[in-house]
């Protein structure tokens, strides 16, 4: 049975979801070691994690593709389990740079698993994604559907899921939980950590937040002719703190499974226009928007079946869309340029 005081290695822990999960882990009494190469994050996030929790964590600036970096960590710390967030995550970029995505995401995971195996650490919670379901029309998306990713980023998630299943199939000492996140948004309620995209955000929520803070004129709504009530795309947005808690639930139940996939979502979907309205309510401003063409590769609607995680991990979401938008606005308004100083930002 899992108990406080165990050491969890968090790969990619300086990033958006990783930093929020570190808060929850520390608050639950775990010791935390983070490895992150800071390719898409700032060490500042981890300083803020410590401010929020009043606890310390260990940070190793290192790369999961580098076995020596990992060797040092596993030799130095007695790791109980790994929560594996480290990876590249931009769908569009993955189409332009598929090899870099396979190298970093798949290659990095191979290196990680080999070092874990050699140190007999065989529990891993992996950050997978709803994108493994691809363009399926069957809603809600249930874990039993076949995987059918449609871009290189999604393919890396499918390959890693399959690799983990193969590893667990041959060695019963492995315990693997695959967490398929839907659309994480929001921030810690303190406003001290949050999503901090480099460059122009691809995802809706950070873009809306940057419009609200005045960094862009308007939101581009990608199509209003979908078969949804208001014509705009609908997604299953989940509060990042609910998501963080999902990882604790996974750790608590991990020894019950060889390799098992769970959706982490709310089971409900919200349209682009509903998001814009909810964010406007949170920041008390009208968010200007213009409808433009559909974005290639988008589906009309996507939401999880949240039943499996509820029944087996005893986890479900508790935070509302207003909580998501209010916390995202608090983070954005307290940190208009994210973790970056003025000199690092090329404004648009
Ligand atoms: P993020 O970019 O904020 O965090 C990923 C972290 O991994 C970053 O801090 C980055 O510096 C680090 N990293 C990348 N490659 C590394 C490497 N080779 N070695 C060490 N560190 C490395 O992204 P996030 O939104 O926090 O996502 C975390 C995980 O969840 C990713 O695997 C992502 O694919 C997955 N995911 C994210 C979403 C989403 O919408 N945010 C949805 C589904 C799944
Ligand atoms: C949401 C909705 C857009 C931006 C992506 C990845 C997925 C996962 C989560 C990692 C859609 C619309 C968006 C904008 C818009 N990430 N939109 N204007 O596409 O559901 O999922 O992030 O695993 O793999 O594909 O999220 O936030 O990009 O889009 O109208 O400027 O907002 O068309 O309907 P998506 P998103």
């Amino acid at each position: 049975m899992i108990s406080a005081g165990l050491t969890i290695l968090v790969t990619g822990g300086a990033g958006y979801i990783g930093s929020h999960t570190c808060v929850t882990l520390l608050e639950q009494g775990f010791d935390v070691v983070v490895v992150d190469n800071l390719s898409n994050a700032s060490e500042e996030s981890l300083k803020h994690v410590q401010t929020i929790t009043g606890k310390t964590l260990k940070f190793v600036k290192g790369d999961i593709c580098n076995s020596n970096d990992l060797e040092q960590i596993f030799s130095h710390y007695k790791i109980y389990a790994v929560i594996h967030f480290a990876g590249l995550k931009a769908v569009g970029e993955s189409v332009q740079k598929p090899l870099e995505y396979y190298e970093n995401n798949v290659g990095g995971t191979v290196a990680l698993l080999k070092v874990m195996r050699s140190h007999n650490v065989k529990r891993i919670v992996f950050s997978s994604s709803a994108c493994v379901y691809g363009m399926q029309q069957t809603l809600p998306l249930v874990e039993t559907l076949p995987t059918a990713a449609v871009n290189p980023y999604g393919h890396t998630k499918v390959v890693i899921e399959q690799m983990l299943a193969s590893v667990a199939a041959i060695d019963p000492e492995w315990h693997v939980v695959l967490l398929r996140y839907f659309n994480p948004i929001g921030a810690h309620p303190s406003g001290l950590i949050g999503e901090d995209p480099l460059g122009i955000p691809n995802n809706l929520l950070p873009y809306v937040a940057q419009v609200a803070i005045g960094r862009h004129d308007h939101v581009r709504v990608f199509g209003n002719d979908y078969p949804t009530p208001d014509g705009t795309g609908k997604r299953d947005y989940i509060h990042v703190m609910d998501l963080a808690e999902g990882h604790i639930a996974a750790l608590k139940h991990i020894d019950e499974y060889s390799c098992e996939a769970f959706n982490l979502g709310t089971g409900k979907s919200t349209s682009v226009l509903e998001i814009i309205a909810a964010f406007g309510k949170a920041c008390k401003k009208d968010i200007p928007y213009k409808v433009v063409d559909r974005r290639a590769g988008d589906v009309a609607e996507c939401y999880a079946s949240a039943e499996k995680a509820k029944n087996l991990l005893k986890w479900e979401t508790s935070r509302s869309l207003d909580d998501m938008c209010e916390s995202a606005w608090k983070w954005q308004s307290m940190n208009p340029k994210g973790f970056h100083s003025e000199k690092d930002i090329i404004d648009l």
Side-chain angles (χ1 to χ4, degrees):
M1 183 60 192
I2 196 162
S3 58
L6 297 170
T7 302
I8 310 298
L9 175 64
V10 184
T11 76
Y16 172 45
I17 305 170
S19 58
H20 290 79
T21 304
C22 286
V23 167
T24 307
L25 284 166
L26 290 170
E27 284 176 344
Q28 300 261 337
F30 293 98
D31 291 334
V32 173
V33 180
V34 168
V35 59
D36 198 303
N37 65 2
L38 302 182
S39 59
N40 196 37
S42 159
E43 204 178 330
E44 285 299 299
S45 67
L46 296 174
K47 292 183 185 152
H48 292 202
V49 166
Q50 297 182 110
T51 304
I52 291 167
T53 59
K55 297 187 178 174
T56 55
L57 53 72
K58 301 281 188 276
F59 171 57
V60 179
K61 183 168 185 237
D63 199 303
I64 59 159
C65 298
N66 182 337
S67 303
N68 291 335
D69 289 352
L70 296 171
E71 264 304 327
Q72 287 190 8
I73 294 167
F74 281 88
S75 304
H76 197 269
Y77 298 102
K78 187 174 164 13
I79 305 295
Y80 173 80
V82 176
I83 305 184
H84 179 29
F85 294 105
L88 301 174
K89 64 162 183 178
V91 170
E93 187 185 56
S94 80
V95 176
Q96 301 304 321
K97 299 180 179 175
L99 293 180
E100 282 75 7
Y101 269 66
Y102 282 99
E103 182 177 40
N104 192 71
N105 294 3
V106 179
T109 306
V110 171
L112 174 67
L113 294 176
K114 280 182 151 180
V115 176
M116 286 177 69
R117 184 180 60 186
S118 71
H119 288 266
N120 210 31
V121 177
K122 295 184 176 176
R123 294 182 187 89
I124 183 166
V125 177
F126 172 61
S127 299
S128 190
S129 167
C131 72
V132 300
Y133 295 114
M135 312 283 281
Q136 316 252 6
Q137 304 295 315
T138 325
L139 292 173
L141 294 168
V142 286
E143 291 86 344
T144 46
L145 284 167
T147 51
V150 292
N151 53 61
Y153 165 72
H155 289 136
T156 70
K157 293 295 180 191
V158 172
V159 169
I160 295 168
E161 285 199 359
Q162 289 170 345
M163 189 164 72
L164 286 163
S166 304
V167 166
I170 200 69
D171 179 351
E173 289 182 359
W174 279 93
H175 298 286
V176 178
V177 172
L178 313 169
L179 296 179
R180 295 174 176 167
Y181 312 154
F182 278 66
N183 290 57
I185 61 169
H188 188 269
S190 64
L192 289 176
I193 54 173
E195 188 170 9
D196 184 22
L198 288 174
I200 302 171
N202 299 310
N203 294 119
L204 178 64
L205 216 289
Y207 200 97
V208 170
Q210 290 192 2
V211 169
I213 205 77
R215 288 181 61 191
H216 311 285
D217 291 341
H218 62 272
V219 180
R220 290 171 307 151
V221 174
F222 296 144
N224 66 351
D225 55 354
Y226 285 105
T228 60
D230 66 19
T232 66
K234 297 186 78 180
R235 296 290 182 274
D236 186 341
Y237 297 96
I238 173 172
H239 197 300
V240 68
M241 293 308 299
D242 279 330
L243 193 65
E245 290 165 8
H247 293 76
I248 311 295
L251 278 181
K252 286 187 175 153
H253 291 273
I254 196 165
D255 284 351
E256 296 161 29
Y257 300 103
S258 169
C259 179
E260 201 68 32
F262 295 92
N263 290 335
L264 294 186
T266 64
K268 289 177 291 209
S269 66
T270 305
S271 75
V272 175
L273 293 183
E274 287 167 339
I275 286 283
I276 290 173
F279 204 93
K281 184 175 146 204
C283 69
K284 302 186 175 62
K285 297 178 192 184
D286 280 337
I287 308 285
Y289 66 86
K290 287 183 187 161
V291 177
V292 300
D293 286 346
R294 289 181 180 191
R295 184 173 65 180
D298 274 348
V299 290
E301 187 170 18
C302 167
Y303 58 93
S305 163
E307 292 306 304
K308 187 174 176 186
K310 183 178 172 186
N311 293 333
L312 300 180
L313 300 180
K314 314 293 177 209
W315 169 91
E316 62 185 315
T317 59
S318 62
R319 293 160 177 91
S320 67
L321 185 62
D322 286 343
D323 295 333
M324 301 181 211
C325 292
E326 281 162 18
S327 60
W329 174 239
K330 187 166 181 185
W331 154 252
Q332 185 70 68
S333 52
M334 281 171 63
N335 310 272
K337 307 233 165 182
F339 292 115
H340 306 277
S341 65
E342 303 261 337
K343 66 180 166 32
D344 295 328
I345 295 276
I346 302 160
D347 229 326
L348 308 161

